[in-house]
Amino acid sequence: MMHNRIFAVLLVAFFMSACTQEQQNKISRVVQNYTGTDGVLEIYAGEKLVKRFIKIDKLSTAISTSDDTPRPYRFGYGILDANFNMRADAGEKKVYFEFSDYSTSYIFYGHP
């Protein structure tokens, strides 16, 4: 039984090493879609933090419905952390958000 697990891990490692970086990123995103992340999105106006969303599973890039071209914005769902304390307090709800890739200063990271 243990030998099967070791073999499976080595097989996955072998196939991953044969993939390009972009293919590895796509595989990683697929895994994250199932396992989720505990992401934090911070939006800045200059150097000032103006919005924070917590408990984000993933950010998605919008895709055109007519020709499958990426749109210049990202979107997702997260809890609006209105008081910037990194906790989902009473009254802070899960919301839909979107932001421009071109004009928005943002940082997205896994919750430490």
Side-chain angles (χ1 to χ4, degrees):
M1 188 67 153
M2 184 63 142
H3 293 295
N4 290 343
R5 287 185 184 182
I6 293 172
F7 178 73
V9 168
L10 290 174
L11 189 62
V12 167
F14 171 76
F15 282 114
M16 288 293 288
S17 67
C19 293
T20 66
Q21 185 65 44
E22 181 60 26
Q23 289 169 326
Q24 289 176 19
N25 289 343
K26 285 181 182 179
I27 292 168
S28 176
R29 285 190 295 271
V30 167
V31 170
Q32 282 184 350
N33 286 346
Y34 287 107
T35 62
T37 61
D38 189 11
V40 177
L41 173 67
E42 295 181 338
I43 307 289
Y44 290 87
E47 294 181 13
K48 181 179 169 123
L49 175 64
V50 293
K51 292 279 185 203
R52 178 184 285 149
F53 299 93
I54 59 175
K55 298 187 184 262
I56 299 170
D57 288 334
K58 66 178 178 174
L59 291 181
S60 298
T61 301
I63 302 291
S64 168
T65 55
S66 60
D67 61 0
D68 289 334
T69 8
R71 297 289 187 172
Y73 69 93
R74 294 174 155 270
F75 65 92
Y77 291 89
I79 295 173
L80 177 60
D81 184 17
N83 59 6
F84 303 117
N85 68 352
M86 296 291 281
R87 288 191 305 253
D89 297 316
E92 293 180 337
K93 307 251 187 243
K94 191 170 198 172
V95 296
Y96 171 83
F97 59 84
E98 57 186 55
F99 57 96
S100 169
D101 272 349
Y102 297 135
S103 62
T104 305
S105 296
Y106 70 93
I107 299 172
F108 179 71
Y109 57 94
H111 190 279

